Amino acid sequence: MLWALCAWRLRYRPEHPDLDIVVLGDAPEDGFGYGFVHVKPADARRGLDDARALSRTRVQHMARSWRKVSGRSPVLSTEGGRAGRVRKDLAELGTHQAAFFPRVDGSALTLSWVDELLFACLDKDWSTPVDVLMHRSSAGEELRTGWGMRIGDCFLAMRLRQWAEHRGAEAALESVPYRTDRPPMLEARYRLTVVGDEIKRHGLADIAQGPPLPVWGVTAYDPRAPWVVVDYGTAHQRIQRLEAPATQDAE
């Protein structure tokens, strides 16, 4: 958000993009998570006394970072051959962003990492988003501890709903109302359809099978801009456009 503020000030107040920084409490090392900062009045006064001004050079640097994160290409995009030269802080953000994009594994097009975790916690029995989050499996554990702190449980409920509403009769999930007085984690129950079970076991037939998901400046599962992750989970992970349809069976 500081990067966004710097970009805004440079755009609308280029003559005086002056900003002072006051640091209160601690932030997660990778910038993701949620919680509260407990600050006593004396701490707040000391923070104001220690306020430091950002130089124009620093403001410009943060503004460029924001434009990269919110740009039309993913942070780890290989456009221009620059994916291997991304700064460490941007690389961490790019790795987070990449987890929401479908992946290419050989000739197969597979779910994004986050969607794969969701599908791993679903079957042909009805499950609420709470059931998915609390699923007794390694995928459930990863959702709770690895991603729950990063994206929140409400995102998981939203993503399940998107899968159920995408493509109508050919949707990967079907849903039924459950506790409509308790949205969003209990308002509906979900289960895999035949299509969803096929996706879970064999991957995607095409990128449009997945519901589009905006992730900062770009959209995952967008057939008009088919960004996919290659070399997922390696030090050389990158995102590139899908040049040719990925099929499940090689010719």
Side-chain angles (χ1 to χ4, degrees):
M1 293 306 299
L2 178 58
W3 292 355
L5 180 59
C6 288
W8 183 88
R9 289 295 288 261
L10 278 177
R11 179 175 181 180
Y12 293 103
R13 296 188 60 180
E15 309 86 2
H16 303 287
D18 50 311
L19 290 166
D20 292 340
I21 300 299
V22 176
V23 179
L24 298 175
D26 298 318
E29 291 185 3
D30 62 359
F32 294 100
Y34 63 89
F36 298 92
V37 176
H38 298 281
V39 181
K40 296 179 180 179
D43 297 328
R45 285 191 292 270
R46 280 194 295 270
L48 290 172
D49 291 338
D50 295 336
R52 59 183 185 271
L54 286 179
S55 68
R56 185 180 183 88
T57 299
R58 185 63 173 159
V59 171
Q60 291 172 333
H61 173 79
M62 291 187 174
R64 286 194 296 270
S65 297
W66 173 252
R67 287 193 291 272
K68 178 63 176 176
V69 168
S70 62
R72 295 183 178 180
S73 300
V75 176
L76 298 184
S77 165
T78 57
E79 284 191 344
R82 307 179 69 88
R85 299 195 296 272
V86 175
R87 292 195 331 258
K88 180 181 178 182
D89 53 351
L90 284 173
E92 291 174 351
L93 290 169
T95 300
H96 173 88
Q97 183 187 42
F100 300 92
F101 283 79
R103 299 165 291 167
V104 169
D105 182 10
S107 63
L109 181 63
T110 65
L111 293 166
S112 72
W113 175 238
V114 172
D115 283 336
E116 182 175 296
L117 292 174
L118 287 177
F119 273 58
C121 297
L122 290 164
D123 51 35
K124 295 182 180 179
D125 295 325
W126 294 108
S127 299
T128 66
V130 171
D131 296 328
V132 171
L133 186 62
M134 301 306 296
H135 196 267
R136 292 187 176 184
S137 64
S138 59
E141 179 70 15
E142 178 69 12
L143 283 176
R144 288 190 299 277
T145 61
W147 287 95
M149 295 291 289
R150 288 169 170 255
I151 58 180
D153 51 6
C154 289
F155 171 86
L156 303 181
M158 178 197 75
R159 190 60 179 158
L160 291 171
R161 183 170 64 250
Q162 289 176 343
W163 275 102
E165 294 175 350
H166 183 63
R167 283 201 161 185
E170 296 182 357
L173 303 183
E174 61 178 322
S175 66
V176 293
Y178 183 53
R179 292 288 302 277
T180 56
D181 60 322
R182 298 287 300 277
M185 296 299 289
L186 292 172
E187 67 180 351
R189 295 190 297 178
Y190 300 88
R191 67 181 180 185
L192 293 174
T193 64
V194 173
V195 172
D197 186 62
E198 183 71 13
I199 291 174
K200 180 178 179 178
R201 291 186 294 113
H202 300 296
L204 297 158
D206 61 78
I207 201 166
Q209 273 194 302
L213 178 66
V215 190
W216 302 332
V218 290
T219 300
Y221 294 95
D222 183 356
R224 296 169 299 179
W227 294 104
V228 293
V229 182
V230 295
D231 297 328
Y232 184 80
T234 72
H236 305 290
Q237 176 177 266
R238 63 194 188 280
I239 299 180
Q240 65 186 31
R241 282 181 178 266
L242 189 64
E243 297 180 357
T247 59
Q248 306 308 310
D249 297 308
E251 293 291 333

